[in-house]
């Protein structure tokens, strides 16, 4: 049995796919294929503390003192970070901080500049 949807116009079960469309051979109705992940309006899922969307290459500033795990170093409020890279996972920002080095940050503790 086919997992394609029936035609919304005539309810025919003989629909087929043609590129990014479904087509009904009985009534000639065509409609777009929309997958679950394409249906979301949220093009930028990673946002800063204020809700602004972040992209690779953005500049950000830290909004809270952050202790560096396993070290006595602290990333101070107002530290500016250039050229971030977004990644999947618990910490969604990869960056390099002057005086500290490579870091992973959570987007909830930063604010987009500009």
């Amino acid at each position: 049995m086919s997992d394609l949807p029936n035609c919304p116009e005539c309810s025919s079960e003989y629909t087929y796919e043609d590129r990014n469309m479904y087509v009904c051979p009985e009534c000639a109705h065509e409609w777009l294929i929309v997958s679950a992940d394409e249906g979301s309006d949220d093009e930028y899922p990673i946002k800063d503390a204020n809700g602004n969307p972040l992209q690779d290459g953005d500049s950000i500033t830290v909004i809270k003192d952050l202790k560096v795990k396993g070290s006595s170093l602290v990333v101070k409020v107002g530290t500016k970070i250039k050229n971030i890279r977004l990644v999947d996972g618990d910490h969604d920002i990869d960056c390099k901080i002057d005086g500290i080095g490579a870091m992973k940050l959570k987007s909830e503790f930063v604010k987009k500049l500009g």
Side-chain angles (χ1 to χ4, degrees), residues 37-54:
D37 57 346
E38 289 177 10
S40 126
D41 292 336
D42 194 12
E43 185 178 338
Y44 305 105
I46 299 176
K47 298 184 180 195
D48 70 359
N50 295 334
N52 297 317
L54 295 172

Side-chain angles (χ1 to χ4, degrees), residues 7-79:
C7 175
E9 294 292 313
C10 69
S11 300
S12 171
E13 60 184 24
Y14 301 111
T15 58
Y16 62 92
E17 287 184 50
D18 184 26
R19 295 189 192 133
N20 65 341
M21 305 280 286
Y22 289 125
V23 180
C24 175
E26 293 184 354
C27 71
H29 179 68
E30 297 179 347
W31 67 102
L32 285 174
I33 297 172
V34 179
S35 66
D37 57 346
E38 289 177 10
S40 126
D41 292 336
D42 194 12
E43 185 178 338
Y44 305 105
I46 299 176
K47 298 184 180 195
D48 70 359
N50 295 334
N52 297 317
L54 295 172
Q55 295 179 335
D56 286 343
D58 280 347
S59 294
I60 57 174
T61 185
V62 177
I63 63 168
K64 175 183 174 182
D65 281 350
L66 302 172
K67 294 180 183 177
V68 178
K69 195 172 188 176
S71 170
S72 62
L73 297 173
V74 175
V75 180
K76 296 285 190 180
V77 172
T79 301

